[in-house]
């Protein structure tokens, strides 16, 4: 998402600028008589262990209780998902710093990038949309990332190229590239139902873990992952990653 981050200039006296709340995705600096917020996002990986194949009948029952239906993502969904994506992230960094037209372009391009496989081979079998009647309520889009150490990016596996049949070969590891829900029904459990649907599909495919990524400062996302039993891993840029391999990094 780095391409969508924008530097922000704040025309305030230095004393007032120094009192502004800090967002962890930015560094705050003062020069030329103005305050500057310079993007410096930190991304944290989370990991969810898939213990066993889930009973999809229980998931179907929970969906029915909420009047929600899950199904795999279809080709005709992608354009409809743009408005949903835009609405879901319009108050979230970095999209909240964009003008409306640019934000809509960012939503479109972000989804097309995932659809093209630029975020890794799409796992269509595990990607889901949630509906109420014919109305889209949310989506979870799963892709595959290389099998490198999630707390260190200096090992060769991160440079691995996915084979053409990556999903069939169960290459790499599944990753939640996007999960979003329409604001009117957010915090109602639909995101967790989408996660359950993806996990059930991945478990049936033989995968035993699902990873995700959280940007520093995105507290709602962090809490959602925590509530759904994800394990938060160290930031790959942490000084602890430079410690010798024979020393504990906890």
């Amino acid at each position: 998402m780095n391409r969508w981050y924008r530097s922000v200039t704040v025309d305030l006296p230095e004393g007032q600028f120094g009192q502004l709340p800090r967002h962890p995705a930015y560094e705050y600096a003062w020069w030329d008589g103005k305050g500057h917020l310079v993007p410096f996002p930190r991304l944290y990986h989370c990991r969810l262990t898939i213990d066993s194949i889930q009973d999809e009948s229980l998931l179907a029952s929970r969906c029915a209780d909420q009047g929600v239906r899950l199904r795999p993502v279809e080709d005709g969904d992608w354009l409809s998902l743009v408005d949903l994506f835009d609405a879901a992230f319009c108050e979230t960094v970095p999209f909240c710093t964009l003008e409306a037209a640019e934000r809509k372009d960012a939503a479109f391009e972000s989804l097309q990038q995932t659809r093209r496989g630029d975020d890794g081979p799409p796992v269509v079998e595990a990607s889901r949309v949630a509906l109420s009647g014919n109305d889209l309520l949310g989506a979870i889009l799963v892709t595959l990332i290389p099998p490198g150490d999630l707390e260190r990016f200096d090992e060769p596996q991160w440079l691995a190229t996915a084979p053409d049949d990556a999903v069939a070969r169960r290459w790499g590891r599944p990753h939640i590239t996007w999960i979003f829900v329409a604001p009117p029904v957010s915090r109602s459990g639909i995101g967790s139902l989408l996660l359950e649907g993806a996990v059930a599909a991945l478990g049936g495919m033989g995968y035993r873990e699902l990873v995700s990524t959280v940007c520093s400062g995105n507290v709602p996302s962090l809490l959602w992952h925590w509530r759904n039993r994800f394990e938060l891993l160290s930031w790959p840029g942490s000084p602890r990653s430079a410690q010798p391999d024979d020393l504990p990094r906890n």
Side-chain angles (χ1 to χ4, degrees), residues 6-141:
R6 300 289 184 269
S7 295
V8 179
T9 300
V10 182
D11 192 3
L12 286 175
E14 185 173 6
Q16 292 184 22
F17 177 74
Q19 295 175 4
L20 289 178
R22 265 35 181 178
H23 191 287
Y26 293 86
E27 290 188 336
Y28 289 63
W30 178 269
W31 71 79
D32 292 338
K34 294 183 180 179
H36 300 270
L37 280 65
V38 181
F40 188 67
R42 295 174 176 85
L43 300 177
Y44 292 81
H45 283 125
C46 305
R47 179 170 52 213
L48 177 67
T49 300
I50 302 175
D51 296 321
S52 59
I53 298 177
Q54 295 193 2
D55 185 348
E56 295 199 46
S57 64
L58 293 177
L59 173 58
S61 176
R62 284 194 287 273
C63 288
D65 289 342
Q66 292 193 225
V68 174
R69 175 170 58 93
L70 302 185
R71 65 161 170 77
V73 177
E74 299 175 353
D75 287 343
D77 294 327
W78 289 92
L79 283 179
S80 299
L81 288 175
V82 173
D83 287 339
L84 188 61
F85 183 108
D86 182 33
F89 293 122
C90 68
E91 296 182 357
T92 302
V93 172
F95 302 106
C96 64
T97 64
L98 307 177
E99 297 294 335
E102 189 179 17
R103 197 179 65 234
K104 185 64 69 67
D105 289 342
F108 176 81
E109 180 53 36
S110 296
L111 290 171
Q112 289 302 306
Q113 177 171 309
T114 300
R115 188 182 187 186
R116 290 192 303 264
D118 294 346
D119 294 319
V123 187
V124 179
E125 298 85 344
S127 298
R128 295 284 185 270
V129 294
L131 303 99
S132 176
N134 293 321
D135 297 329
L136 284 171
L137 301 180
I140 183 170
L141 306 176

Side-chain angles (χ1 to χ4, degrees), residues 175-241:
H175 176 262
I176 300 176
T177 296
W178 297 110
I179 181 167
F180 50 94
V181 173
V185 293
S186 64
R187 297 180 175 84
S188 63
I190 293 175
S192 296
L193 292 176
L194 285 164
L195 174 63
E196 285 189 54
V199 167
L202 291 168
M205 296 169 67
Y207 285 109
R208 288 297 172 260
E209 70 173 9
L210 172 63
V211 298
S212 187
T213 306
V214 179
C215 181
S216 59
N218 192 341
V219 176
S221 177
L222 177 62
L223 293 176
W224 181 85
H225 283 85
W226 174 67
R227 186 174 65 247
N228 283 289
R229 299 181 295 107
F230 279 85
E231 173 195 6
L232 179 64
L233 303 177
S234 297
W235 177 48
S238 169
R240 288 178 295 179
S241 65

